[in-house]
Amino acid sequence: MKTRYTFGGDEHIFVEMDDEMSLEAFFKAIAISRAVQEAKIDGVTEILPANASFEVRFNPDIIHPDTMMAKLKELESAASNAEPRMQTRIIEIPVYYQDPWTHETVMRFRERHQDPSGTDLEYAARINGYDSVEAFIEAHHAQPWFVSMVGFVAGLPFLYQLVEREKQIEVPKYLRPRTDTPKLTVGYGGCFSCIYSVRGAGGYQMFGITPMPIFDPQQQVTYLKDFMVFFRPGDIVKFAPIDRAEYDRIVAAVEAGTYQPRIAEVTFDLDAFNADMRGTNARLMEALHGN
Amino acid sequence: MAIKVRKPGLSTSIQDLGRPGYFHLGIPEGGAMDRFALRAANMLLGNDEGAACLEAVFMGPELEFEADTWVAVTGATMPILLDGEPREGWTAFPVSKGQVLSFGFLKEGARIYIAFAGGIDTPMHLGSRSTYVIGALGGLDGRPIAAGDTLPIGTPGKVSERKLDRALLRPSQNPVELRVLPGLYWDRITEASQERFFAEDWTVAPEADRMGYRFRGGSPMEFVPREQPFGAGSDPSNIVDGCYSYGSIQVPGGTEPIVLHRDAVSGGGYFTIGAVISADMDLIGQLQPNTKVRFVKVDMETALDARKERKKRLQTIRDALTTA
């Protein structure tokens, strides 16, 4: 891993922990961005953690860009001694795979896809070496995911699966982006899954849909009353497959204000995870179902 | 006091100076594309400089006043009509109850700012009244204004006839020069491509909106060969998804550069070659499709000097309008 610092115009510094994705790069980015936050540097206006990088926005009228850069580099050495451990939460996200709404969209934009003769799921299963769509879907929800970035549009989480690199699913984005994606579509691009928080353009492959809103500007949804965005970087997600009846039941419960996502507080330790991935994941999932 | 929307124009939205602080969650700062013009419109009326105004792109709305008040229009050059009678831009003028404000065809620039004494008084969302359509946030129900809407207006301060000396404005250029600080993933393209980016003429593509401005006409870029890193995607223009910055220039597929603007997406998987300097962001907000543009390479000190100059120009205008 080699850290790279660069200016993005006169108001931003972009710091890339590594050019490839890994949990180590993500943890390092989170650790330094937290250190920057705690340092309360005069002139820093926003800190944006991302998958394997982070960005700092600053006001150059208050702090000279070179001074800002020097401060960030100082903080890197301090943060690299931080233990790769975090207090976080695990959340169960119900997913209706192969639902009719994303399927309709899949078919509508077929000519923009690498393989116009099949569906996104068939294509993703094949290029990742799965015998069937069902086996591929199983791989997508069996092990949990890290929210490694929140952004693109309002409250959209990027998710990185907690499995060995050789088991990571990888798919390209659409050849040309779609002009439409249903709200709450569960998508996939590169090595990341995502949940589209709002309806709109998109280039990720489409696998299913969740009935659980994750962004609500009106703040009507019970669990979004305090803040309109659900996800934070560092959240852990477990997808749970559901059928149409369960999907409809949850949609009705959200509308009635009775739906509460299943959430548990957990500690995630990267070293423990690397020593025993399946054991660590099993403990995370036990915590989810223990309360 | 309120104002009735008779016709909304093309895509007219309520904007102020935006909502900084939520970009790390994908909610952009937003606010006026041309911040300078919005500030000037408010100064003319003695409003708070960041009061909410209407931002109208390419075409003006038609508005009816429910009480006597004052109005100022700045930004693009577009004939201003009060009950069909011409009024001047960059000037505070009185309007009476029942009068109708409308606009002629756009002559120069892209966006006008219509300020009202007291400012538009819709509810604040995350500290701003700016409309962010993609997130259905701010403004009126998070959407552009529509016929039949009523715009609530705040309590005005002391207003008098004021006019801005246009000699104080930044002179217009042809071709427009956008100053760029190279950086970010600049080294992904070859030196020859780096040189061509600054040497060639570009024109504004039709895909130009509050999220970003696309440019075309220059040569496709050549990438420095590399094995794509894990998680980045197979196209040479792909990176592991990272955060974007306002003004940053991404080039999907290495063909058409896109400069992200006020309603920017906060991150994504395309490489970026640097950013337009903060002092030139307002200029982009006034570009029409097909406008010829040159990107000009600058260093950090030039960017900071340009920023100081912009600040100084604003202060000169502030002084001129408060002593007038």
Side-chain angles (χ1 to χ4, degrees):
Chain A
M1 249 196 288
K2 192 167 174 293
T3 312
R4 189 171 70 87
Y5 292 82
T6 170
F7 289 111
D10 48 322
E11 293 185 349
H12 304 83
I13 292 175
F14 179 77
V15 185
E16 188 186 62
M17 315 320 301
D18 199 354
D19 61 0
E20 61 175 30
M21 181 58 194
S22 66
L23 280 178
E24 283 70 20
F26 165 71
F27 265 79
K28 198 171 171 198
I30 284 276
I32 305 184
S33 47
R34 283 191 181 161
V36 177
Q37 198 148 27
E38 281 158 18
K40 298 197 191 313
I41 303 162
D42 217 17
V44 169
T45 56
E46 194 157 11
I47 301 157
L48 298 92
N51 296 308
S53 57
F54 74 100
E55 188 171 69
V56 173
R57 190 178 190 202
F58 61 95
N59 180 345
D61 302 340
I62 297 175
I63 183 166
H64 191 280
D66 293 337
T67 313
M68 186 70 235
M69 183 74 97
K71 290 222 184 244
L72 287 183
K73 287 179 177 171
E74 271 169 40
L75 288 165
E76 184 193 348
S77 49
S80 53
N81 299 323
E83 295 210 358
R85 187 186 302 154
M86 60 165 78
Q87 280 298 120
T88 182
R89 52 181 192 165
I90 182 166
I91 307 133
E92 185 173 83
I93 302 287
V95 182
Y96 179 17
Y97 290 96
Q98 308 195 74
D99 66 287
W101 306 284
T102 57
H103 183 74
E104 184 275 329
T105 315
V106 160
M107 300 320 285
R108 183 148 45 99
F109 291 97
R110 219 59 219 136
E111 88 290 356
R112 300 182 185 214
H113 195 271
Q114 288 82 357
D115 180 9
S117 66
T119 65
D120 291 7
L121 272 166
E122 285 163 359
Y123 171 75
R126 192 178 68 242
I127 66 165
N128 282 283
Y130 288 89
D131 295 339
S132 65
V133 165
E134 288 66 31
F136 177 78
I137 289 173
E138 162 82 22
H140 187 260
H141 65 68
Q143 299 299 322
W145 301 73
F146 236 109
V147 174
S148 51
M149 175 170 164
V150 177
F152 179 59
V153 291
L156 179 150
F158 287 80
L159 302 128
Y160 183 70
Q161 199 166 24
L162 291 169
V163 294
E164 299 83 354
R165 178 171 290 187
E166 56 277 15
K167 297 223 171 85
Q168 296 277 343
I169 298 163
E170 274 196 281
V171 294
K173 296 170 186 174
Y174 270 47
L175 294 176
R176 284 184 297 128
R178 298 176 303 273
T179 53
D180 192 18
T181 310
K183 184 174 155 179
L184 298 175
T185 290
V186 175
Y188 215 102
C191 65
F192 299 105
S193 206
C194 83
I195 303 170
Y196 284 88
S197 51
V198 294
R199 184 178 175 178
Y204 275 30
Q205 310 276 340
M206 294 182 285
F207 294 169
I209 199 161
T210 175
M212 188 186 139
I214 57 168
F215 172 68
D216 179 18
Q218 304 298 325
Q219 291 179 265
Q220 301 291 317
V221 174
T222 29
Y223 55 89
L224 296 173
K225 278 207 188 330
D226 289 341
F227 195 62
M228 60 182 74
V229 170
F230 183 74
F231 283 110
R232 302 189 282 265
D235 280 341
I236 296 173
V237 164
K238 170 69 174 62
F239 291 125
I242 55 167
D243 60 11
R244 175 65 190 261
E246 182 65 0
Y247 177 88
D248 290 342
R249 193 194 65 75
I250 296 174
V251 167
V254 169
E255 272 169 31
T258 56
Y259 184 74
Q260 279 301 334
R262 186 189 284 272
I263 300 174
E265 302 294 321
V266 289
T267 303
F268 184 89
D269 185 311
L270 185 58
D271 295 334
F273 171 77
N274 282 331
D276 177 13
M277 291 192 188
R278 290 303 145 109
T280 305
N281 287 353
R283 278 190 292 281
L284 287 171
M285 291 186 277
E286 270 164 32
L288 187 59
H289 290 276
N291 47 330
Chain B
M1 161 60 185
I3 292 163
K4 258 206 176 117
V5 178
R6 295 186 17 157
K7 290 178 188 165
L10 204 54
S11 179
T12 305
S13 61
I14 297 169
Q15 300 294 343
D16 54 22
L17 292 175
R19 54 175 66 82
Y22 303 95
F23 206 37
H24 67 288
L25 298 171
I27 300 171
E29 184 172 50
M33 292 284 282
D34 183 351
R35 297 249 199 280
F36 192 94
L38 177 123
R39 282 179 186 271
N42 281 321
M43 283 183 215
L44 282 161
L45 298 173
N47 287 348
D48 182 285
E49 272 177 44
C53 299
L54 287 178
E55 176 184 274
V57 58
F58 304 144
M59 190 195 265
E62 196 176 295
L63 308 169
E64 186 183 329
F65 296 88
E66 294 193 342
D68 296 356
T69 187
W70 288 76
V71 172
V73 182
T74 61
T77 310
M78 196 187 273
I80 305 160
L81 303 164
L82 188 66
D83 280 350
E85 294 294 320
R87 290 289 181 276
E88 269 198 79
W90 305 90
T91 304
F93 59 87
V95 299
S96 307
K97 183 183 172 181
Q99 282 195 303
V100 172
L101 180 71
S102 63
F103 296 87
F105 291 115
L106 178 69
K107 287 187 172 151
E108 200 192 341
R111 288 175 172 82
I112 53 166
Y113 292 83
I114 313 166
F116 311 98
I120 299 174
D121 194 21
T122 44
M124 298 269 241
H125 287 95
L126 302 178
S128 163
R129 296 185 171 87
S130 287
T131 315
Y132 170 46
V133 175
I134 296 162
L137 193 64
L140 283 173
D141 306 323
R143 56 164 174 80
I145 62 165
D149 281 345
T150 301
L151 308 175
I153 302 297
T155 314
K158 199 165 160 277
V159 195
S160 57
E161 243 161 295
R162 280 181 186 145
K163 187 173 164 51
L164 186 66
D165 178 2
R166 286 185 203 214
L168 298 177
L169 298 177
R170 187 169 168 173
S172 60
Q173 311 159 305
N174 185 24
V176 175
E177 292 189 346
L178 297 177
R179 288 169 287 185
V180 170
L181 193 65
L184 302 168
Y185 291 88
W186 176 240
D187 292 334
R188 285 291 301 119
I189 55 173
T190 62
E191 265 179 48
S193 276
Q194 293 178 345
E195 276 166 29
R196 277 199 297 269
F197 175 70
F198 290 117
E200 292 177 335
D201 283 332
W202 296 87
T203 55
V204 178
E207 300 90 344
D209 57 25
R210 292 188 45 84
M211 185 190 281
Y213 262 64
R214 188 184 279 258
F215 296 85
R216 57 168 63 144
S219 310
M221 293 174 185
E222 294 160 2
F223 290 89
V224 175
R226 70 163 176 181
E227 192 187 325
Q228 282 294 96
F230 172 76
S234 50
D235 192 272
S237 70
N238 287 155
I239 54 161
V240 169
D241 293 56
C243 17
Y244 291 149
S245 42
Y246 304 107
S248 68
I249 307 166
Q250 56 179 270
V251 197
T255 54
E256 296 181 342
I258 300 168
V259 179
L260 289 180
H261 219 278
R262 310 290 184 197
D263 283 355
V265 290
S266 69
Y270 290 114
F271 89 117
T272 43
I273 58 173
V276 171
I277 66 173
S278 59
D280 286 354
M281 288 292 281
D282 288 343
L283 276 185
I284 298 176
Q286 293 297 354
L287 295 178
Q288 293 177 11
N290 292 319
T291 308
K292 197 177 276 187
V293 167
R294 274 288 181 94
F295 293 106
V296 177
K297 185 179 181 173
V298 295
D299 59 15
M300 183 61 85
E301 288 315 310
T302 312
L304 295 180
D305 287 346
R307 197 179 160 93
K308 279 190 200 113
E309 196 191 305
R310 179 180 180 277
K311 225 176 160 179
K312 206 172 122 195
R313 194 182 289 281
L314 256 177
Q315 190 55 45
T316 310
I317 289 174
R318 201 174 284 133
D319 292 344
L321 289 176
T322 43
T323 53

